[in-house]
Amino acid sequence: MNWIQLTSLEQLQEIKAATGFSAIFKHSTRCSISMMARKRFEIDWTAIPDGTPLYFLDLIAHREVSNKIAEIFQIHHESPQLLLIKDGECVYETSHGEISAEEMAEQIGV
């Protein structure tokens, strides 16, 4: 799997309009907890079905996109944070040490 860099509001609208599952990982480059959560997620991401778009947001560099995520998907901002989007709606959200690729795969129904 590879990350898709989430850098624009246009991409966010595409995620909102997409059918099926997508995931957004919100990451702070200034936070050691965020770095650990990312590494743990990447170690286990083979559990996630192939073809699931995985978006990576550097929320320090793209604060506007991060703020819009909270607004569009009606979730409280956290960092790090993982959102699972299905057919334009956030169906699962978790943060910090609870972030798990295996749990995300369970939510997808694998």
Side-chain angles (χ1 to χ4, degrees):
M1 294 235 165
N2 292 310
W3 292 113
I4 301 165
Q5 298 298 314
L6 179 52
T7 60
S8 72
L9 296 176
E10 291 78 18
Q11 285 176 290
L12 197 52
Q13 291 303 324
E14 290 170 9
I15 295 167
K16 177 76 174 157
T19 57
F21 288 99
S22 301
I24 300 172
F25 186 95
K26 293 171 56 182
H27 173 70
S28 171
T29 55
R30 297 181 188 155
C31 174
S32 61
I33 294 170
S34 190
M35 187 67 78
M36 287 177 12
R38 175 185 176 184
K39 294 290 184 199
R40 200 174 94 206
F41 185 83
E42 288 176 338
I43 287 169
D44 293 332
W45 70 3
T46 55
I48 301 167
D50 287 338
T52 304
L54 298 174
Y55 291 89
F56 181 86
L57 175 66
D58 174 345
L59 60 90
I60 302 298
H62 302 285
R63 178 76 61 191
E64 180 183 20
V65 176
S66 179
N67 292 341
K68 197 69 170 176
I69 287 170
E71 178 186 325
I72 287 175
F73 297 110
Q74 300 179 341
I75 51 101
H76 178 72
H77 165 78
E78 303 259 8
S79 171
Q81 187 173 37
L82 177 67
L83 288 74
L84 181 61
I85 311 302
K86 181 180 182 190
D87 300 332
E89 300 297 323
C90 182
V91 295
Y92 174 75
E93 172 274 321
T94 192
S95 65
H96 296 83
E98 300 299 314
I99 293 173
S100 163
E102 291 171 343
E103 176 63 28
M104 190 179 109
E106 277 186 39
Q107 296 294 321
I108 293 172
V110 177

